[in-house]
Amino acid sequence: TRDLQIRRVECGEGEVEFQLGPRDPILGSALTIPLPPGCDQAIVHYTTQPQASGLQWLTPGQTAGKRHPFLFSQNESIHARSWIPLQDSPGVRITYDASIQPVDGLRVLMSAQHRSEENGAHVFRMDLPIPPYLIALAIGDLEFAALGPRTGIYAEPAMLPATAHEFEDTERLVETVERLYGPYRWGRYDLLVLPPSFPFGGMENPCLTFATPTVIAGDKSLVGLVSHELAHSWSGNLVTNATWRDFWLNEGFTTYLENRIQEEVYGREQALMEQVLDRRELEKELREFPVADQILHIDLKGRDPDEGCTRIPYFKGALLLRQMERAFGRTAFDRFLRSYFDRFAFQSITTAEALDYLRTELFDRFPKESAQIPLEEWVFEPGLPSGVPYARSERLENVAARGIPDRAWNTQEWLEFLQIMVRPVERAKLEELDRAWTLTETGNFEILGEWLLISIESAYEAAYQRLERFLTEVGRTKLLRPLYTALMKTPDGQTLAKEIYAKARAGYHPITQTALDKIVHFSK
Ligand code: BES
Ligand code: ZN
């Protein structure tokens, strides 16, 4: 547990003594309950604290509707322990029952099956064994729209029409993964679009993916997020990393699956554009992070596992799988993946177990093809093996060749355009772009994030008001981190960063606060 107030523990008829060990800032405190003979269950009575890292309590002002409060949980990596006393390791699998009593008749959702409502209490059950980081709860003024027979979307009423439209392909996405990798085993697949302070792009809570509203681009160009979180229903939720050192088994496999799904549903060119942008981001992080953090089987000793969550396990992991696909052929590799998901369904496995299975089921059977793949180097060495081919996208190459924006561009083309601009960019050029394309006022948060970054790096002050609003409203760490980092590089920027951060911090999720405190050198 971490930061729980344990009131008392009951066992059978009576109360039992418990011990709460010393508090480690990362791991928390061990709760030990010695069970008296004949007693194999205990009831722990406890309360959470306001600073519980796994919960964010939003004021009405932080929601779209502005009238009701909102609560949501985020357990990955080790935040379950901040609101539930349990064995908080992905190597442990559990089922759960929950009964939740909301205030004000608000809607309650969990990563489980909704069973009933009695006297205002909502009863849920997850009867498939899941790791604790997949328990999830959200409460707010939420409405539902069906997307397909087993898919749907929850969002605040004001957000529902736009989100339902953006994610209308969800049922098709589920059908596509099933065709590739076998049946979807979790019953329903619903999406929950959270308020903008949600600290991630998405979270693969079973039956109920949590998603940031910042991917609502209007043209489905960021639906890769749904493909990603949905893919976790196979890689991650069905076959789970046993420890956080094995995180790449969750994210690398999922990023590979995500791109395959994107290719099936939105075409090869869309999938290639995403690969090209991902590769650039990977290379940027390989330049930024120390060699120890570039190893897929990362060493996390003494560290918060959230620190292992760079883009490296995602994109380096996916490149390894893509190399295998190329070497063994799509048919053989797809067959392998399907068998991997069946073999380890509802189990948590280590890197060593996954490598074992890869070797016996794939590498040993295709010795000639496997000679091209330096598996040990991929998994245990930093950087990338030499000669990993670059994906190429005609549409992105046209962006560079054309040099001026086009009305028909989607998010990926805009990101390419903005990312390859040499900094600093002259003010006149930025003014002209802004006038022609109203970039400072764009509602596409990925493009806006990139535009604000250029603005900081080019001291384009016309965008600074928008920058402040963005930093105050959005809580998605991936979008915030580069902006604060860029501001901190100049004295004026530092002053501005600290000023905005002091105002914005209270509205950020505890996980976002922890990540950003280090960047802006904030101390309480
Ligand atoms: N499981 C992750 C989110 C996560 C990882 C939360 C580690 C806490 C610790 C989720 O599936 C994810 O990868 N989300 C991405 C979006 C995706 C489209 C790459 C994100 O939030 O950026
Ligand atoms: Zn993921």
Side-chain angles (χ1 to χ4, degrees):
T1 76
R2 190 174 55 220
D3 302 333
L4 293 184
Q5 288 188 321
I6 313 288
R7 305 292 185 192
R8 62 196 166 85
V9 178
E10 272 181 276
C11 230
E13 302 289 277
E15 231 173 87
V16 292
E17 294 290 317
F18 61 89
Q19 288 124 36
L20 201 55
R23 183 181 190 279
D24 177 274
I26 297 168
L27 300 174
S29 315
L31 171 64
T32 310
I33 304 170
L35 293 176
C39 187
D40 64 356
Q41 281 189 358
I43 300 172
V44 181
H45 296 262
Y46 68 97
T47 54
T48 60
Q49 307 225 51
Q51 73 272 21
S53 63
L55 299 175
Q56 190 177 15
W57 302 84
L58 301 180
T59 62
Q62 287 177 283
T63 67
K66 311 279 178 218
R67 301 221 332 257
H68 301 279
F70 199 107
L71 167 68
F72 67 89
S73 69
Q74 167 58 44
N75 283 1
E76 191 178 13
S77 308
I78 55 169
H79 303 282
R81 65 190 66 186
S82 75
W83 63 289
I84 312 173
L86 43 56
Q87 296 190 330
D88 191 11
S89 158
V92 171
R93 302 187 84 94
I94 51 167
T95 59
Y96 73 85
D97 287 285
S99 170
I100 311 284
Q101 181 94 48
V103 294
D104 300 346
L106 294 178
R107 195 193 287 262
V108 188
L109 300 173
M110 289 196 83
S111 57
Q113 204 194 334
H114 186 261
R115 307 273 290 196
S116 62
E117 196 198 320
E118 288 158 32
N119 310 323
H122 294 256
V123 178
F124 297 88
R125 167 168 291 174
M126 168 48 78
D127 53 16
L128 299 166
I130 57 162
Y133 77 86
L134 292 178
I135 301 174
L137 169 69
I139 304 177
D141 180 21
L142 293 165
E143 255 173 35
F144 176 77
L147 297 172
R150 59 182 157 168
T151 52
I153 184 152
Y154 294 93
E156 286 192 70
M159 301 290 290
L160 199 60
T163 52
H165 176 262
E166 197 75 15
F167 299 130
E168 68 187 359
D169 299 331
T170 303
E171 187 78 29
R172 248 178 88 203
L173 295 172
V174 182
E175 288 162 5
T176 302
V177 206
E178 287 191 306
R179 229 183 306 114
L180 288 170
Y181 303 116
Y184 178 75
R185 308 198 199 204
W186 305 88
R188 291 198 55 85
Y189 182 77
D190 293 319
L191 296 162
L192 165 63
V193 176
L194 289 130
S197 73
F198 184 60
F200 296 102
M203 178 64 211
E204 65 273 26
N205 299 127
C207 312
L208 184 69
T209 281
F210 283 22
T212 171
T214 62
V215 291
I216 300 162
D219 64 355
K220 302 184 187 171
S221 55
L222 299 172
V223 166
L225 177 116
V226 177
S227 297
H228 180 98
E229 305 311 336
L230 171 65
H232 274 305
S233 306
W234 285 259
S235 45
N237 300 3
L238 201 55
V239 182
T240 307
N241 50 210
T243 79
W244 295 114
R245 300 192 62 184
D246 311 306
F247 184 59
W248 77 278
L249 294 181
N250 275 17
E251 298 300 343
F253 278 58
T254 294
T255 303
Y256 170 81
L257 261 58
E258 169 194 342
N259 200 257
R260 291 292 306 278
I261 302 164
Q262 288 293 101
E263 178 179 330
E264 292 291 319
V265 178
Y266 299 103
R268 179 105 179 119
E269 188 56 33
Q270 178 67 29
L272 285 171
M273 287 196 285
E274 294 177 12
Q275 283 184 34
V276 169
L277 294 173
D278 289 355
R279 178 69 178 261
R280 181 178 300 130
E281 219 182 310
L282 172 62
E283 303 212 329
K284 184 162 167 275
E285 294 211 349
L286 289 174
R287 288 191 298 271
E288 282 168 10
F289 285 93
V291 285
D293 292 350
Q294 301 178 9
I295 294 170
L296 287 181
H297 189 242
I298 189 174
D299 185 355
L300 287 167
K301 67 171 162 295
R303 294 167 73 186
D304 185 331
D306 281 353
E307 283 182 31
C309 184
T310 66
R311 293 284 118 167
I312 296 168
Y314 289 72
F315 299 147
K316 183 177 170 182
L319 281 176
L320 164 57
L321 269 72
R322 215 164 284 134
Q323 189 176 61
M324 294 196 269
E325 178 204 305
R326 210 174 305 110
F328 301 116
R330 234 180 213 194
T331 314
F333 191 58
D334 282 352
R335 203 181 309 124
F336 165 80
L337 282 175
R338 209 183 237 263
S339 76
Y340 169 86
F341 295 134
D342 284 338
R343 167 68 183 80
F344 296 111
F346 300 108
Q347 294 181 39
S348 300
I349 66 169
T350 61
T351 295
E353 287 170 281
L355 291 183
D356 248 16
Y357 192 72
L358 262 172
R359 288 200 187 94
T360 54
E361 297 301 314
L362 208 51
F363 281 59
D364 293 353
R365 293 190 186 176
F366 301 96
K368 208 171 96 238
E369 289 77 7
S370 55
Q372 311 161 28
I373 304 171
L375 192 56
E376 297 280 320
E377 183 182 348
W378 272 106
V379 177
F380 299 107
E381 302 288 333
L384 287 180
S386 61
V388 182
Y390 282 83
R392 288 185 57 177
S393 145
E394 208 171 305
R395 271 172 66 181
L396 293 191
E397 282 170 11
N398 284 341
V399 166
R402 196 183 141 87
I404 51 165
D406 187 290
R407 196 154 296 287
W409 278 2
N410 76 350
T411 305
Q412 283 74 30
E413 287 161 305
W414 271 104
L415 292 179
E416 173 76 8
F417 176 75
L418 296 171
Q419 286 173 7
I420 62 179
M421 269 189 166
V422 181
R423 325 293 160 96
V425 185
E426 294 146 54
R427 168 176 312 222
K429 165 111 182 153
L430 292 176
E431 277 169 354
E432 184 196 319
L433 275 172
D434 212 1
R435 213 176 312 115
W437 303 96
T438 54
L439 288 166
T440 302
E441 295 312 319
T442 177
N444 181 317
F445 285 74
E446 289 272 359
I447 296 176
L448 183 56
E450 211 63 58
W451 173 249
L452 293 173
L453 184 61
I454 295 193
S455 301
I456 295 168
E457 290 172 340
S458 309
Y460 178 61
E461 286 173 8
Y464 279 24
Q465 263 193 0
R466 184 75 190 91
L467 172 67
E468 174 157 359
R469 195 148 41 91
F470 185 89
L471 292 175
T472 316
E473 282 167 11
V474 175
R476 186 177 174 191
T477 319
K478 188 198 103 165
L479 294 175
L480 297 177
R481 190 186 282 126
L483 298 175
Y484 278 113
T485 305
L487 283 171
M488 291 302 286
K489 284 184 180 151
T490 66
D492 284 354
Q494 275 188 22
T495 311
L496 187 60
K498 290 184 180 226
E499 199 182 293
I500 297 175
Y501 193 67
K503 284 187 269 180
R505 187 177 184 276
Y508 293 148
H509 190 284
I511 298 173
T512 308
Q513 293 180 359
T514 304
L516 297 181
D517 282 355
K518 288 179 213 147
I519 294 171
V520 300
H521 312 305
F522 181 90
S523 51
K524 278 177 270 182

